[in-house]
Amino acid sequence: MMSTDIFDIPMELLARIEAAHNILCISHVNADGDAYGSVLGMMWMLRGLGKRACAAMPDPVLPDFSFLPGAGEIVGPDGTADDYDLIIGLDMSSADRMGDVYDAERFANIPLVVIDHHITNTHFGVVNWVEPRCAATAQMLVILNDRLGIETDAHLAECLLTGIVTDTLCFRTSNTTPEVLESAMCMQRAGAHLAEIVRRTLNRMPFSTLRLWSAVLAGAHLDQGVTWVTVSREQLGQAGHEGDDSRLSSILSSVNEADMSAIFTEKLGANGRPAVECSFRAKPGFNVGELAFQLGGGGHAPASGCTLAGSLAEVVGRIVPMLIAERRRQVETCRPAF
Ligand SMILES: [Mn+2]
């Protein structure tokens, strides 16, 4: 028995799951490990209850996650049916994250319930179980599985541990509570291969990424407690990459001499004009959330971002001094907590 009584699962969610027979599970565009892990984990849980269940996602399955049990069964927008009696949306803070896979017209009469851990969730279902204290939607499903009394087989365990491992960057994020570790432990005991999941999801990259990072990091700057890099469209083109990589942010934010870090990635704006995607990180005790918000973006104290019009040189020239000033203000006005 897990010590997860602090989490309340809505009775209506349990009742709707128990009453349903044919269920569609959906997760989000630009899927990550928690999206795959939770949509497939939910599918296996429902099958464990003797129900029909289908997993659907807006985009084709990424090769990195094809190792997950059931990944080959994930359907796209064209693969869904009409006769579901319940739809479960997983790991999504808003309805638009379902992309084309949620056909509002076809599914108009099918109840949609939401299971998600994002604090920004818009509660777009008829029942919404939103638990920001959980580090991953997959962690919520471990708790749900326990509450439903389903035996955890190795398939299910593999999917749910993958969601937990990827969303916590292998138990390194600040929201890795004892409850997270307990859920992960239960999944490992049930047959999930932790080291293999880490190797397949976190500890791998194509050579092109290594080349991109080596070019980008060769141009790293450090000034008054702020470190930053720029990623040009030319560099992205050579590497054949989209660019936005949280692992590069993690490398920058681990620099001893810096309290704040930034990655400036050159993009082509919607109107063909140059634009720059800014991704900010702050050490504990510092805050980059407010700056991003002022610039029209969003995020939290430790991680935030925004997209600004202008060339790489223009945006860097404008934003770096703001970061330096913001860091200095925060050093002077408040002592960092850690
Ligand atoms: Mn998640």
Side-chain angles (χ1 to χ4, degrees):
M1 193 65 191
M2 297 201 302
S3 56
T4 50
D5 301 342
I6 58 165
F7 302 111
D8 280 324
I9 304 174
M11 290 305 291
E12 201 188 338
L13 177 70
L14 297 170
R16 282 186 185 267
I17 289 173
E18 265 156 34
H21 300 288
N22 185 14
I23 302 145
L24 177 65
C25 308
I26 302 178
S27 198
H28 58 80
V29 292
N30 300 325
D32 56 15
D34 194 26
Y36 287 108
S38 55
V39 82
L40 289 172
M42 193 75 232
M43 181 184 87
W44 290 118
M45 279 169 61
L46 293 166
R47 290 182 183 175
L49 287 171
K51 298 170 190 298
R52 281 171 64 195
C54 171
M57 299 182 93
D59 306 314
V61 176
L62 293 171
D64 286 15
F65 295 99
S66 60
F67 76 97
L68 284 172
E73 291 186 52
I74 295 176
V75 298
D78 301 331
T80 55
D82 311 290
D83 59 343
Y84 307 108
D85 51 12
L86 183 68
I87 298 176
I88 305 180
L90 296 140
D91 198 44
M92 296 180 284
S93 52
S94 54
D96 58 297
R97 301 279 289 155
M98 294 187 284
D100 293 342
V101 99
Y102 185 81
D103 187 332
E105 214 167 285
R106 260 172 82 203
F107 297 156
N109 296 315
I110 308 172
L112 168 70
V113 298
V114 170
I115 302 176
D116 181 39
H117 69 121
H118 296 99
I119 198 164
T120 51
N121 192 287
T122 59
H123 294 242
F124 58 98
V126 291
V127 183
N128 301 277
W129 181 30
V130 178
E131 184 46 87
R133 291 174 297 175
C134 283
T137 300
Q139 185 199 347
M140 298 173 71
L141 297 188
V142 175
I143 297 160
L144 177 63
N145 190 57
D146 190 54
R147 205 67 54 89
L148 289 169
I150 307 168
E151 202 189 320
T152 313
D153 64 16
H155 279 4
L156 174 57
E158 196 82 353
C159 295
L160 296 186
L161 188 59
T162 296
I164 295 171
V165 163
T166 51
D167 260 20
T168 62
L169 303 174
C170 201
F171 313 112
R172 289 186 297 166
T173 54
S174 60
N175 59 2
T176 304
T177 59
E179 288 74 27
V180 173
L181 294 175
E182 190 175 21
S183 291
M185 181 190 73
C186 289
M187 294 304 100
Q188 197 179 15
R189 286 219 169 110
H193 301 94
L194 175 60
E196 183 68 4
I197 290 169
V198 174
R199 187 183 71 76
R200 286 196 178 256
T201 57
L202 300 174
N203 288 353
R204 68 196 302 273
M205 65 167 96
F207 185 65
S208 58
T209 299
L210 188 79
R211 290 296 303 268
L212 176 66
W213 287 5
S214 67
V216 165
L217 291 172
H221 298 266
L222 174 70
D223 188 12
Q224 300 169 65
V226 177
T227 185
W228 72 95
V229 295
T230 59
V231 185
S232 68
R233 298 218 312 139
E234 194 188 340
Q235 286 170 326
L236 289 175
Q238 282 169 2
H241 259 265
E242 292 290 312
D244 58 77
D245 192 327
S246 61
R247 292 177 301 178
L248 192 55
S249 296
S250 298
I251 293 174
L252 286 187
S253 60
S254 65
V255 170
N256 290 339
E257 295 87 346
D259 299 315
M260 292 181 181
S261 63
I263 300 176
F264 299 98
T265 307
E266 192 178 26
K267 297 264 148 136
L268 215 49
N271 47 12
R273 297 225 189 93
V276 177
E277 202 175 84
C278 309
S279 169
F280 306 126
R281 290 288 157 98
K283 290 251 175 85
F286 290 87
N287 184 336
V288 287
E290 283 163 33
L291 180 69
F293 187 71
Q294 283 166 27
L295 294 166
H300 315 277
S304 67
C306 59
T307 301
L308 301 171
S311 72
L312 210 43
E314 284 164 1
V315 171
V316 171
R318 183 157 79 90
I319 302 305
V320 166
M322 290 176 78
L323 278 167
I324 290 172
E326 185 62 23
R327 179 202 165 256
R328 186 182 306 132
R329 190 185 67 77
Q330 290 181 19
V331 168
E332 284 164 3
T333 55
C334 47
R335 281 227 76 83
F338 298 96

